[in-house]
Amino acid sequence: MILAHLDRFDRVLFKVLFRARYKRWQHHTIRMMSRTGDGVLYALFALYLLLYSTPEQLRLLMVLVVAYVVERPIYYCTKNLFQRLRPCDVLTPDAHIKPSDKFSLPSGHSAGAWVFAVVVGHFYPSAVPYLYFWASLVACSRVFLGVHYPLDVLLGSILGYSCALFALLITGTL
């Protein structure tokens, strides 16, 4: 009963937030924000840390790897366990991008962005407001593009944040 009400609220909130008709510059901006969470920037950052490494940067890289090694299997198992169809397949045919798979809960972009933001923010505390703002924008962009419900990005964000804290803890960094 509670889950049905939560699902109904999530669908209504999606309809409020999603707009099928964005101006061209809005669509481009939202899409580019979402793409920053695709994983390419994470790989480039890891490469940078390897090439220009100090002991502290190698520790950062190790914590990031541990966090993603924990987060990715939880993400895949959860997504396949819930098998929640995406809003672009249920509510609107007007999604602004083509999703990589058919299930939406949790949002992998949100989880990945929050892993990155929390871990990097731990090592560079002055960057925390910018990193958290960026991770929030990546998460929100997934709703605005029509491929996730708000609850998907909230739970993905919690997953990423939790996995980052866990990785910081088990590596002795926290």
Side-chain angles (χ1 to χ4, degrees):
M1 182 79 160
I2 292 174
L3 288 178
H5 289 297
L6 191 58
D7 182 60
R8 195 171 317 119
F9 174 77
D10 203 25
R11 289 170 186 258
V12 168
L13 187 56
F14 171 82
K15 289 176 183 177
V16 168
L17 296 173
F18 175 74
R19 298 284 180 257
R21 305 282 185 249
Y22 286 115
K23 294 179 180 156
R24 185 179 176 100
W25 70 270
Q26 291 171 319
H27 177 263
H28 180 71
T29 302
I30 295 167
R31 189 178 179 132
M32 294 304 355
M33 182 51 61
S34 178
R35 294 196 80 187
T36 65
D38 284 352
V40 174
L41 291 179
Y42 309 148
L44 291 174
F45 186 73
L47 183 61
Y48 168 80
L49 292 177
L50 282 173
L51 293 175
Y52 302 102
S53 58
T54 65
E56 186 73 359
Q57 288 172 323
L58 287 178
R59 187 168 181 83
L60 165 58
L61 180 59
M62 177 192 65
V63 176
L64 277 171
V65 168
V66 169
Y68 283 118
V69 163
V70 171
E71 179 266 329
R72 285 285 99 176
I74 295 171
Y75 156 76
Y76 285 118
C77 289
T78 306
K79 190 166 261 209
N80 288 309
L81 174 70
F82 287 109
Q83 295 186 355
R84 185 181 198 191
L85 295 177
R86 293 180 180 273
C88 58
D89 295 330
V90 177
L91 298 179
T92 178
D94 296 324
H96 298 292
I97 59 172
K98 177 153 176 49
S100 59
D101 59 38
K102 65 181 180 170
F103 301 129
S104 69
L105 180 69
S107 164
H109 278 74
S110 302
W114 277 99
V115 162
F116 186 84
V118 171
V119 172
V120 174
H122 179 78
F123 284 84
Y124 300 100
S126 62
V128 164
Y130 307 106
L131 289 164
Y132 285 19
F133 181 66
W134 164 79
S136 298
L137 288 176
V138 169
C140 290
S141 72
R142 305 302 288 170
V143 176
F144 297 147
L145 291 171
V147 294
H148 281 288
Y149 295 99
L151 187 60
D152 300 341
V153 299
L154 176 63
L155 293 177
S157 298
I158 292 169
L159 172 63
Y161 194 96
S162 302
C163 290
L165 288 180
F166 179 74
L168 288 164
L169 186 66
I170 67 169
T171 59
T173 307
L174 190 60

